[in-house]
């Protein structure tokens, strides 16, 4: 393999940026961010160095789950603009070297979708687009996704005089993917957006998409056949398509979503390392993360993990034990109102650590160096906070803070009437924390992030390499090594709030040669590599990356 390969399987070394269009930039003064706003910010994103823009749902929707309840798969909601505006965005992005992907929400539709409307009125074809039962199935209350806000996964529909299945809210009926007509429709949707110019999809709720829930119609085929089917189809339509699946599953199940031969989903979010990282942070001990990394199954060469610090949902801690989750809650979500769905935190990371720059750098340095491809949520590059005054997951989907001016540079609309409230005051308010301010400050988080992205891109070993966790003789310190194509990157991260000594023995294939420091905060003396050993002391919450190439 060689460097050329990095542009082929592009997702192995991408920097993905997830954006909620409604909260990014409002260009027509109606208080809602729009597609034109995104297009205007493409140069900002290109300058930051991101290579792939992930659009959260922009489709017509009654917005009972922030657009994850689609009423029309072929359109753009009026408030965001038109399909034409989307094409302009995709084209402008492509011209700057940025690909665009979008959420594909096909586990369910909105109840407002014409398919469901026809299904409930007994339409001979559309009825079977959804999953029905004549009687209330036993265990209907089990497996709800939104505990506290959702009581059951089956609801009675009076018009249909039957029960329909919904893994999420009752207004999100599950599609019946056993029905070949539904599969055809989904193919058409995928085909449509690929023609519009998207490079792939973030596929929502994939384990639920293929679960077999129809008690009257147990399918015999391997449910993963359907994912292979989707991947085959997408590939036929576009060779470099990338499918990134949301599958928050444990080891043993998760790897199945890549497919045995890498023939299902190209990328999977690594909820496993993400949650272990939070436990490691609150303990000041790298062990939970080191253990999680060691437990990761090997993946096919074309496949990739997607690493993130914080996504657009609650920070789920569902993979931790009850006691571990309580530990994280106590440190990062001490108040009840900061928690959601009994398993997560509805804050962004910087507020969890009170804006501690050292810990922010530590977290994102991990996201950029751990095996996988980094995914940022808009605003993370400036350390955007959250607004707990907003309901549910809206707390983390607050308007982007561009400048210290009324409307935060996000909108010219009257701030009192905005659907998404601005955060004005305090250390996270737009008066203090905004893009313009950080542009002027060479030491800002924004400038740090730009450097992190640049370094990550210059060292594709991190995305492509075989990797190992190395012993450090100190549980507070994580060391990992990525090796690829004659290049190596070694990274060390100190989770403790005190300086930590470390001593790492480099494996035989990695010692010798000219190692050089490639990334770090420059806070004090860095540990150095001599012979087969990296040793020295890392300041509290500090980190260093070292690189070495045998080729020029
Ligand atoms: C996962 C999405 O990330 C979340 O925001 C949404 O509510 C559910 N899937 C249902 O679509
Ligand atoms: Ca607007």
């Amino acid at each position: 393999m060689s460097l050329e390969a990095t542009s082929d399987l592009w997702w192995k070394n991408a920097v993905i940026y997830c954006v909620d269009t409604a909260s990014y930039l409002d260009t027509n003064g109606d208080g809602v961010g729009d597609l034109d706003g995104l297009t205007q910010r493409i140069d900002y994103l290109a300058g930051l160095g991101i290579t792939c823009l992930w659009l959260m749902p922009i489709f017509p929707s009654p917005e009972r789950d922030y657009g994850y309840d689609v009423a029309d798969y072929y359109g753009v909601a009026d408030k965001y603009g038109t399909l034409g505006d989307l094409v302009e965005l995709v084209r402008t992005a492509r011209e700057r070297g940025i690909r665009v992907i979008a959420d594909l929400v096909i586990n369910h539709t909105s109840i407002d979708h014409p398919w469901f409307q026809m299904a409930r009125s007994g339409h001979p074809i559309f009825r079977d687009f959804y999953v029905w039962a004549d009687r209330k199935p036993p265990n209907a209350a089990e497996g709800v996704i939104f505990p506290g806000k959702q009581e059951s996964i089956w609801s009675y529909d009076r018009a249909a005089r039957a029960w329909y299945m919904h893994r999420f809210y009752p207004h999100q009926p599950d599609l019946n993917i056993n029905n070949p007509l539904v599969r055809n429709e989904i193919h058409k949707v995928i085909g449509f957006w690929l023609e519009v110019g998207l490079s792939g999809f973030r596929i929502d709720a994939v384990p639920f998409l293929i679960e077999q829930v129809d008690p009257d119609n147990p399918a015999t085929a391997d449910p993963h056949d359907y994912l292979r089917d989707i991947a085959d189809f997408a590939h036929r339509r576009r060779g470099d398509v990338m499918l990134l699946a949301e599958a928050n599953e444990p080891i043993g199940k998760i790897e199945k979503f890549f497919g045995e031969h890498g023939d299902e989903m190209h990328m999977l979010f690594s909820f496993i390392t993400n949650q272990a990282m939070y436990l490691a942070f609150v303990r000041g001990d790298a062990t939970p993360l080191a253990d999680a990394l060691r437990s990761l199954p090997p993946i096919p060469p074309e496949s990739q993990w997607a690493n993130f610090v914080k996504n657009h949902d609650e920070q789920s801690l569902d993979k931790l034990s009850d006691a571990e989750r309580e530990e994280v809650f106590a440190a990062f979500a001490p108040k009840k109102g900061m928690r959601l769905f009994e398993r997560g935190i509805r804050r962004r990371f910087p507020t969890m650590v009170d804006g501690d720059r050292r810990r922010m750098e530590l977290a994102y340095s991990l996201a950029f160096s751990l095996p996988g491809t980094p995914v940022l949520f808009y605003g993370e590059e400036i350390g955007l906070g959250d607004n707990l005054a907003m309901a549910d997951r809206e707390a983390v989907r607050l308007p982007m803070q561009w400048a210290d001016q009324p409307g935060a540079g996000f909108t010219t609309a009257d701030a009192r009437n905005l659907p998404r409230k601005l955060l004005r005051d305090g250390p996270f308010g737009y008066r203090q924390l905004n893009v313009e301010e950080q542009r002027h400050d060479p030491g800002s988080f924004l400038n740090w992030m730009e450097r992190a992205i640049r370094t990550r891109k210059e060292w594709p070993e991190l995305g492509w390499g075989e990797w190992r966790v190395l012993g450090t003789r100190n549980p507070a310190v994580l060391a990992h090594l990525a090796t690829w194509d004659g290049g190596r990157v070694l990274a060390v991260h100190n989770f403790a709030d005190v300086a930590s000594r470390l001593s790492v023995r480099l494996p035989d294939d990695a010692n010798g040669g000219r190692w050089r420091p490639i990334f770090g905060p420059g806070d004090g003396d860095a540990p150095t590599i001599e012979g087969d050993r990296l040793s020295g002391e890392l300041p509290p919450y500090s980190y260093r990356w070292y690189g070495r190439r045998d080729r020029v």
Side-chain angles (χ1 to χ4, degrees):
M1 288 230 227
S2 67
L3 270 179
E4 288 86 58
T6 57
S7 66
D8 185 11
L9 305 182
W10 59 270
W11 54 89
K12 295 212 48 133
N13 217 33
V15 180
I16 301 175
Y17 187 94
C18 167
V19 69
D20 191 357
T21 304
S23 290
Y24 210 56
L25 181 65
D26 167 27
T27 55
N28 62 354
D30 65 355
V32 181
D34 39 55
L35 290 166
D36 271 353
L38 275 178
T39 307
Q40 279 195 26
R41 286 295 181 263
I42 285 296
D43 283 321
Y44 165 79
L45 294 169
L48 185 59
I50 72 121
T51 64
C52 176
L53 187 63
W54 153 22
L55 303 178
M56 287 169 66
I58 48 166
F59 317 104
S61 158
E63 302 265 335
R64 299 182 190 107
D65 184 12
Y66 312 100
Y68 284 91
D69 46 333
V70 178
D72 173 6
Y73 285 109
Y74 295 109
V76 165
D78 289 342
K79 63 180 187 176
Y80 297 131
T82 63
L83 206 46
D85 297 328
L86 179 69
V87 170
E88 288 305 306
L89 167 66
V90 173
R91 201 202 80 88
T92 309
R94 185 173 61 226
E95 205 271 324
R96 307 292 200 280
I98 296 175
R99 295 166 188 270
V100 181
I101 64 171
D103 256 292
L104 182 68
V105 189
I106 49 177
N107 171 69
H108 47 267
T109 67
S110 161
I111 43 171
D112 293 14
H113 196 290
W115 295 341
F116 190 75
Q117 291 303 323
M118 289 190 275
R120 68 171 12 157
S121 63
H123 189 285
I125 290 172
F126 289 104
R127 177 73 164 205
D128 280 342
F129 269 43
Y130 296 87
V131 183
W132 298 98
D134 294 336
R135 273 185 221 97
K136 183 174 185 175
N139 313 328
E142 280 170 27
V144 299
I145 300 287
F146 300 128
K149 306 218 166 179
Q150 177 197 0
E151 278 163 16
S152 162
I153 64 162
W154 289 88
S155 288
Y156 185 71
D157 186 68
R158 273 203 275 174
R161 297 218 195 136
W163 295 78
Y164 65 94
M165 193 261 160
H166 51 86
R167 180 54 71 184
F168 297 89
Y169 287 121
H171 59 72
Q172 291 167 312
D174 277 44
L175 283 165
N176 172 18
I177 57 122
N178 289 326
N179 181 344
L181 295 178
V182 171
R183 294 187 178 204
N184 276 345
E185 287 297 331
I186 292 175
H187 279 179
K188 236 163 55 186
V189 170
I190 293 172
F192 176 81
W193 291 106
L194 293 180
E195 288 299 321
V196 167
L198 298 190
S199 296
F201 302 93
R202 178 267 190 191
I203 311 187
D204 190 64
V206 171
F208 304 116
L209 174 67
I210 60 168
E211 70 181 339
Q212 305 293 332
V213 284
D214 182 353
D216 302 326
N217 180 19
T220 47
D222 174 2
H224 280 268
D225 284 348
Y226 181 45
L227 297 184
R228 278 185 283 274
D229 216 39
I230 287 186
D232 272 356
F233 174 81
H235 274 281
R236 285 200 299 279
R237 291 294 171 94
R238 183 172 172 147
D240 63 348
V241 69
M242 187 277 282
L243 306 175
L244 160 59
E246 183 211 20
N248 181 1
E249 294 282 54
I251 307 268
K253 278 192 179 165
I254 178 104
E255 58 273 29
K256 300 217 164 69
F257 290 84
F258 286 127
E260 209 183 322
H261 306 290
D263 50 1
E264 295 183 31
M265 303 289 108
H266 304 94
M267 297 187 75
L268 297 173
F269 289 106
S270 187
F271 288 96
I272 294 159
T273 42
N274 170 270
Q275 298 191 20
M277 186 167 83
Y278 275 77
L279 188 60
F281 286 147
V282 302
R283 288 188 177 168
D285 177 354
T287 312
L289 181 55
D291 290 346
L293 288 169
R294 289 198 180 97
S295 77
L296 289 180
I299 65 175
E302 307 78 18
S303 310
Q304 184 64 302
W305 297 109
N307 289 319
F308 59 100
V309 172
K310 182 65 193 63
N311 68 12
H312 62 291
D313 284 326
E314 78 282 4
Q315 171 56 42
S316 184
L317 303 167
D318 67 329
K319 296 277 170 295
L320 303 183
S321 72
D322 291 352
E324 291 167 342
R325 189 175 316 110
E326 286 308 318
E327 264 182 88
V328 180
F329 275 159
F332 285 169
K335 296 195 184 128
K336 263 247 148 79
M338 298 171 170
R339 304 176 193 171
L340 193 63
F341 304 141
E342 298 161 17
R343 61 167 177 254
I345 302 178
R346 54 186 213 105
R347 309 176 81 185
R348 285 179 177 241
F349 187 71
T351 62
M352 296 187 210
V353 295
D354 299 321
D356 181 346
R357 174 71 180 260
R358 299 167 308 169
R359 281 190 279 175
M360 287 160 59
E361 288 188 21
L362 179 72
Y364 291 93
S365 169
L366 285 162
F368 281 96
S369 65
L370 290 179
T373 286
V375 182
L376 289 172
F377 184 37
Y378 76 95
E380 287 193 296
E381 70 274 25
I382 54 169
L384 190 66
D386 43 66
N387 188 352
L388 290 170
M390 296 204 295
D392 201 290
R393 288 162 287 167
E394 270 187 6
V396 301
R397 301 176 188 176
L398 72 171
M400 181 66 175
Q401 297 176 180
W402 296 105
D404 174 13
Q405 62 188 60
F410 157 74
T411 185
T412 53
D414 184 340
R416 286 166 303 188
N417 302 329
L418 294 179
R420 302 244 170 123
K421 300 290 174 233
L422 299 172
L423 199 61
R424 181 173 178 275
D425 300 314
F428 292 98
Y430 68 79
R431 307 222 48 201
Q432 282 191 49
L433 191 150
N434 61 64
V435 172
E436 197 172 274
E437 191 75 29
Q438 295 199 18
R439 275 239 172 82
H440 296 301
D441 172 7
S444 68
F445 198 58
L446 178 62
N447 282 315
W448 178 89
M449 189 66 84
E450 219 177 283
R451 233 168 30 247
I453 293 177
R454 165 192 283 269
T455 313
R456 159 68 206 226
K457 282 159 74 176
E458 287 177 354
W459 290 87
E461 287 83 352
L462 286 165
W464 281 77
E466 289 182 12
W467 56 273
R468 273 167 283 184
V469 175
L470 304 177
T472 62
R473 297 214 190 133
N474 188 336
V477 181
L478 177 79
H480 69 283
L481 172 74
T483 308
W484 178 67
D485 195 27
R488 292 165 180 45
V489 179
L490 171 66
V492 284
H493 291 86
N494 176 18
F495 285 72
D497 61 355
V498 293
S500 297
R501 292 207 66 76
L502 60 99
S503 176
V504 181
R505 201 189 85 77
L506 300 177
D508 292 343
D509 61 332
N511 67 41
R514 192 173 82 83
W515 283 96
R516 55 197 156 113
I518 56 174
F519 191 55
D523 53 352
D525 292 339
T528 50
I529 299 180
E530 271 166 47
D532 68 349
R533 202 160 278 283
L534 167 75
S535 52
E537 196 174 78
L538 271 179
Y541 299 128
S542 197
Y543 57 92
R544 294 285 188 284
W545 303 3
Y546 305 84
R548 185 193 123 185
R549 283 200 182 124
D550 298 339
R551 57 188 154 76
V552 282

